[in-house]
Amino acid sequence: MIKSNNIEVQFGDCRELIKKIPSESVDLVVTSPPYNIGKKYGQYTDKVTLEDWETLINDITKEIHRILKPNGSFFLNLSPIPYGNYKEILPLPFLGYNIMKKNHFYIRNIITWTFNNMQNCTNRLSGRYENIIWGVKDLKNYKFNLDDIRIPYITKNDKRLTGSGRNPTDVWYFDRVNNMVKKKNNLSHPTIYPIDMIERIIKMSSNEGDTIFDPFLGSGTSVIAAAKLKRKGIGFELDDKYEQEIQSRIKNEVKNYEQIKMEL
């Protein structure tokens, strides 16, 4: 376990660990589960039957609905994947949408996250996007801090433009964390969130002092972003081989780290 005054990371099966989280105690959940494409995550086998994968996502989504506060939000990041012997594209975001609806979430946006740095295909168009499904428990009562995530206007010096910037829309561009960046920062996890993107989600759908939760934590991006933005970050990760990596990232990336006392 990694524990500080604003970060808590536990290692084990998120389906069991989440049962210990009190109901309606979390403000925001943001996560990206395994995509079932054979990535080397360590203890987890990222190539199970589609039925088993859907059961995993359904089980954790059901618990997420329980632990979220009435005005809480759930952001689920999924990608279309090549599936089967002939690598037909399987739209995991559609399956995620159905699972979220089955577990009583209302969908506010399906965000398209676009990027450039990825493998090029030779027998179909190269994939350059993933989806982030934003669900809420109550359509009339949820946090949306638009002013905290506004981006610069495209048009300059237009007197009709007011305020501090424009709505970022539901199409976001953030570069993926590539192998060169991982090597530079001594990171080994195969899939790492761009932290700027997670910070946008946290600013948009939570306030300072809120609790942010990620059941598939990986290298720790979600809890690090939460701590940097003065929130409490809670994360679960199946494979404890990433413990040192998460500790290192906390030390290097969270401001005022010297004020955080680690209990290992």
Side-chain angles (χ1 to χ4, degrees):
M1 176 184 286
I2 300 172
K3 193 172 183 180
S4 73
N5 62 342
N6 60 351
I7 291 178
E8 181 177 325
V9 179
Q10 296 185 48
F11 295 90
D13 191 325
C14 62
R15 289 169 291 187
E16 297 302 319
L17 294 173
I18 197 171
K19 294 176 182 178
K20 300 177 184 179
I21 297 180
S23 298
E24 299 188 353
S25 63
V26 171
D27 297 278
L28 169 64
V29 176
V30 53
T31 196
S32 183
Y35 292 170
N36 209 26
I37 55 176
K39 287 283 186 181
K40 294 182 180 180
Y41 287 112
Q43 294 185 30
Y44 178 74
T45 301
D46 187 40
K47 201 65 177 175
V48 298
T49 67
L50 185 58
E51 181 181 5
D52 285 345
W53 183 87
E54 289 183 286
T55 297
L56 167 65
I57 305 306
N58 182 75
D59 288 350
I60 202 69
T61 299
K62 180 179 180 180
E63 285 295 310
I64 286 170
H65 192 276
R66 176 186 66 80
I67 67 173
L68 272 176
K69 294 179 181 178
N71 63 348
S73 288
F74 174 29
F75 288 79
L76 177 63
N77 176 207
L78 292 169
S79 172
I81 64 167
Y83 185 79
N85 294 334
Y86 296 98
K87 304 299 182 182
E88 181 182 10
I89 291 298
L90 177 66
L92 287 190
F94 292 177
L95 303 184
Y97 169 88
N98 289 333
I99 290 170
M100 290 177 72
K101 292 299 296 179
K102 176 182 177 181
N103 286 283
H104 313 295
F105 281 98
Y106 299 98
I107 307 305
R108 295 309 295 143
N109 280 112
I110 298 179
I111 300 162
T112 298
W113 164 30
T114 67
F115 40 78
N116 278 330
N117 48 337
M118 195 175 177
Q119 291 181 345
N120 292 312
C121 297
T122 57
N123 59 358
R124 63 178 174 86
L125 299 176
S126 299
R128 290 294 183 272
Y129 80 94
E130 297 187 9
N131 289 123
I132 305 171
I133 310 167
W134 173 22
V136 298
K137 293 181 74 172
D138 186 344
L139 279 171
K140 297 181 180 180
N141 178 31
Y142 60 91
K143 297 173 184 175
F144 179 54
N145 305 318
L146 177 58
D147 287 342
D148 292 343
I149 60 165
R150 291 186 182 274
I151 60 177
Y153 289 114
I154 297 175
T155 305
K156 304 295 183 181
N157 302 319
D158 188 332
K159 294 181 180 180
R160 295 171 297 175
L161 302 180
T162 60
S164 57
R166 63 186 175 94
N167 187 312
T169 80
D170 61 357
V171 179
W172 297 358
Y173 182 92
F174 289 95
D175 277 332
R176 290 161 61 96
V177 180
N178 59 31
N179 289 330
M180 290 182 63
V181 173
K182 292 176 188 177
K183 185 176 181 180
K184 178 181 177 181
N185 293 284
N186 196 30
L187 303 175
S188 63
H189 197 277
T191 55
I192 299 175
Y193 268 144
I195 194 165
D196 291 349
M197 184 174 76
I198 303 309
E199 289 180 358
R200 176 180 287 180
I201 292 173
I202 291 173
K203 290 176 182 178
M204 181 174 81
S205 293
S206 71
N207 300 322
E208 288 188 6
D210 282 355
T211 298
I212 316 302
F213 173 60
D214 186 343
F216 300 96
L217 185 62
S219 67
T221 302
S222 298
V223 296
I224 291 165
K228 289 174 65 178
L229 295 171
K230 300 181 180 179
R231 278 77 163 168
K232 179 180 180 181
I234 299 175
F236 298 155
E237 170 52 42
L238 180 64
D239 203 325
D240 60 7
K241 81 173 191 176
Y242 297 116
E243 182 170 359
Q244 293 298 321
E245 191 165 313
I246 295 170
Q247 288 184 45
S248 177
R249 292 194 66 191
I250 293 171
K251 181 176 181 180
N252 293 328
E253 298 180 44
V254 178
K255 287 184 178 181
N256 302 319
Y257 172 77
E258 63 276 8
Q259 299 177 10
I260 299 175
K261 181 179 179 181
M262 303 293 292
E263 298 176 10
L264 306 181

